[in-house]
Amino acid sequence: MVALVKTVAYLGLEARGVEVQCSVAPGLPKFNIVGLADKAVGESKERVRAALASMGLALPPKRITINLSPADLPKEGSHYDLPIALALLAAMGVTDAEQLGDWIAVGELALDARIVPSPGVLLAAIHASKAEVGLICPRAQGSEARWASEVPVCAAPDLASLLNHLKGTQHLPDPKPGVVESEPGGADLKQVKGQETAKRALEIAAAGGHNLLMIGPPGAGKSLLASCLPGILPPLSPAEALEVSMVQSVAGTLEEGRISSTRPFRAPHHSASMAALTGGGLRVKPGEVSLAHLGVLFLDELPEFQRAVLDSLRQPLETGKVDVARANAHVTFPADVQLVAAMNPCRCGHLGDPALACSRAPRCAADYQGKVSGPMLDRIDLHVEVDPVSAADLALPPPAEGSDQVAARVMAARQRQTARAETTGARTNAGLDGDALEEFAGPDEAGRALLMQAATAMRLSARSYTRMLRVARTIADLAGAEKVGRIHIAEALSYRRQPPRA
């Protein structure tokens, strides 16, 4: 007898259907799993054997073959344990094979037959919704699966409870969607004293989704300013929250089905490898740039990152996605991030202070900042210098305007961009391109004349030219202006800095 159970394989944020076929035939006792399975899947037979033994069930002394179809699709992960066990039980006649045809099963089995969590349940639930079938998953991830839609979800704590539920002798409760968390994180702008230029650049970056680079000496407040950004960004829409949660589900970081409406903020250490930043590994997982999807990727001490690692971000910053190519798989993850970076002006950090600067200034500044490639810097819209704060400024009372007031202006500017989204197809001004860029960000005659003059004098590349138009459009949105004017172009150009030259 051959029993069939449906499950899924994960390729990026795509769940592809997999059929688990189990054959129990006469022959020498053996348990084989075929179908391009990795080591974790190959070890499933031992977990399944131990789980069934804990329930008092022994494998028949026959030749057991598990085929994962399609056989040319790589199978990775421990979520195949449950479908393999169900297919085997159906082939043994313990459960109804036809009844299992209406379900997709995912989950890892413990040795005592508990069904424990595995990454990617939300993607499996979305796939089950499209296929119009139910989903069998671990009880701990039932609230996560419920976010997909109103598909039947059977969240079982262990294999025995699941079998009793399928037979009708026990009823498992229907899971409810997880909690939606909406508390913004990060510091408040009231903690930042002085730095009005940097705070203005931070507001523009938040309003338009622009990339930002802060250059200043140690202790000037660059990291504090970056930590204030989550508090002024608008919350995620329901559709965006689902996108972010799908990435977290694949990465295994979506705990208890909790979905957050706060935008992600990721700050990897400068020792991070290329695979950690862009994704990859033996079993391909999303990297920091994908975990920050629709949020902020903060890179502190930018020149301390390996140059090859930084350059690997150039494509994601331009396209909003990252392609991970491996010999056995080609996976695409979303990576629509807002890059915020901070760096010292030179290795000693005191380039602008003759009393503290090293003897190699200004040559050391060119060498240090030269660690970041020109094409990488060209993809950063706003370059702002963060000057040191004096003791007199620190003694002043906190500023009257905090994150709440700035967040209100950012929200108003984002709403103007959302109103244009049907025409532009871009979430924010940072995504404007082509005809939409010319239509909505094209400046008036005075602004165009200034932009052309600056483009010649500053030798702006075509990418820099379009990015200046996007920043100017955001500045106009913050001012409530319908047309981009000369004053908006001038402010946008003031945030464009050239790297130091020796």
Side-chain angles (χ1 to χ4, degrees):
M1 177 182 178
V2 177
L4 309 177
V5 174
K6 299 174 183 176
T7 186
V8 294
Y10 304 122
L11 288 179
L13 293 191
E14 179 186 2
R16 295 191 183 181
V18 172
E19 189 176 70
V20 179
Q21 306 165 357
C22 178
S23 171
V24 178
L28 293 176
K30 196 167 185 181
F31 194 164
N32 288 328
I33 297 179
V34 298
L36 205 57
D38 74 342
K39 186 173 179 60
V41 182
E43 293 172 346
S44 291
K45 58 185 178 183
E46 301 302 332
R47 292 190 290 270
V48 170
R49 191 195 307 271
L52 295 184
S54 69
M55 298 170 55
L57 297 175
L59 296 182
K62 296 182 179 181
R63 187 176 184 86
I64 301 172
T65 303
I66 301 290
N67 179 41
L68 306 177
S69 177
D72 60 343
L73 180 67
K75 320 297 188 309
E76 300 175 341
S78 60
H79 65 280
Y80 292 97
D81 290 4
L82 183 58
I84 289 175
L86 290 176
L88 180 56
L89 291 171
M92 293 167 55
V94 177
T95 187
D96 187 1
E98 294 185 3
Q99 185 182 15
L100 292 173
D102 298 329
W103 298 89
I104 286 177
V106 291
E108 179 182 336
L109 281 180
L111 299 184
D112 58 357
R114 287 179 296 111
I115 305 176
V116 296
S118 62
V121 167
L122 181 57
L123 272 67
I126 295 175
H127 179 82
S129 176
K130 294 178 181 178
E132 298 182 349
V133 294
L135 177 71
I136 299 174
C137 67
R139 182 174 63 179
Q141 294 179 298
S143 56
E144 174 184 340
R146 179 52 68 199
W147 281 111
S149 67
E150 293 301 322
V151 298
V153 176
C154 179
D158 52 61
L159 193 55
S161 300
L162 175 60
L163 295 178
N164 292 334
H165 176 81
L166 294 175
K167 291 179 180 179
T169 59
Q170 180 181 350
H171 176 71
L172 294 174
D174 192 35
K176 296 181 180 179
V179 178
V180 179
E181 299 176 341
S182 59
E183 294 183 3
D188 194 288
L189 281 172
K190 287 186 177 181
Q191 302 177 24
V192 182
K193 297 182 178 180
Q195 308 296 6
E196 298 304 322
T197 301
K199 287 193 283 188
R200 171 63 175 172
L202 196 71
E203 179 179 344
I204 296 171
H210 303 290
N211 301 327
L212 170 66
L213 173 63
M214 294 178 285
I215 306 175
K222 304 183 295 295
S223 299
L224 177 59
L225 283 163
S227 67
C228 294
L229 187 56
I232 63 176
L233 287 171
L236 293 168
S237 67
E240 290 175 334
L242 186 61
E243 281 187 55
V244 173
S245 299
M246 289 170 64
V247 179
Q248 295 173 344
S249 178
V250 172
T253 60
L254 191 62
E255 299 179 357
E256 299 179 3
R258 292 195 298 267
I259 289 182
S260 176
S261 61
T262 303
R263 295 185 181 271
F265 183 87
R266 306 289 298 190
H269 191 260
H270 57 74
S271 62
S273 65
M274 187 182 300
L277 209 59
T278 61
L282 182 62
R283 181 188 174 192
V284 180
K285 284 191 174 183
E288 292 290 336
V289 69
S290 296
L291 292 172
H293 179 56
L294 299 180
V296 178
L297 178 66
F298 176 50
L299 302 182
D300 201 4
E301 307 295 346
L302 187 67
E304 300 298 335
F305 284 82
Q306 298 179 30
R307 183 160 184 166
V309 173
L310 286 181
D311 286 344
S312 68
L313 294 177
R314 285 156 55 177
Q315 180 195 11
L317 290 177
E318 200 71 24
T319 63
K321 61 181 181 179
V322 57
D323 296 315
V324 181
R326 293 293 182 269
N328 61 347
H330 186 95
V331 178
T332 299
F333 292 111
D336 187 3
V337 301
Q338 180 178 355
L339 175 66
V340 176
M343 61 182 291
N344 295 325
C346 60
R347 183 171 295 280
C348 70
H350 301 286
L351 179 66
D353 191 342
L356 298 176
C358 65
S359 59
R360 296 186 63 247
R363 176 69 182 180
C364 64
D367 292 344
Y368 188 68
Q369 297 187 30
K371 293 182 178 181
V372 185
S373 67
M376 182 67 183
L377 291 173
D378 201 37
R379 286 166 167 81
I380 300 178
D381 307 328
L382 304 169
H383 298 238
V384 60
E385 294 183 3
V386 183
D387 297 324
V389 181
S390 65
D393 291 333
L394 294 175
L396 295 174
E401 186 176 70
S403 294
D404 292 340
Q405 291 81 6
V406 177
R409 294 197 296 268
V410 170
M411 176 62 76
R414 285 287 184 109
Q415 289 174 347
R416 295 185 180 95
Q417 297 166 52
T418 302
R420 297 192 295 261
E422 293 185 2
T423 303
T424 63
R427 286 189 174 104
T428 61
N429 287 334
L432 287 176
D433 205 357
D435 294 339
L437 178 68
E438 184 63 31
E439 179 181 356
F440 294 103
D444 56 19
E445 291 300 324
R448 190 176 298 277
L450 176 62
L451 181 59
M452 295 303 298
Q453 181 181 359
T456 303
M458 300 173 67
R459 297 184 178 181
L460 296 179
S461 65
R463 180 185 292 113
S464 299
Y465 180 88
T466 57
R467 287 182 179 272
M468 285 302 95
L469 285 179
R470 295 167 183 166
V471 173
R473 177 66 265 176
T474 299
I475 295 172
D477 286 338
L478 286 169
E482 291 294 330
K483 188 70 174 177
V484 175
R486 181 183 176 90
I487 188 172
H488 308 131
I489 294 292
E491 184 175 1
L493 289 170
S494 70
Y495 297 114
R496 197 73 189 178
R497 294 288 187 268
Q498 298 296 319
R501 298 181 183 275

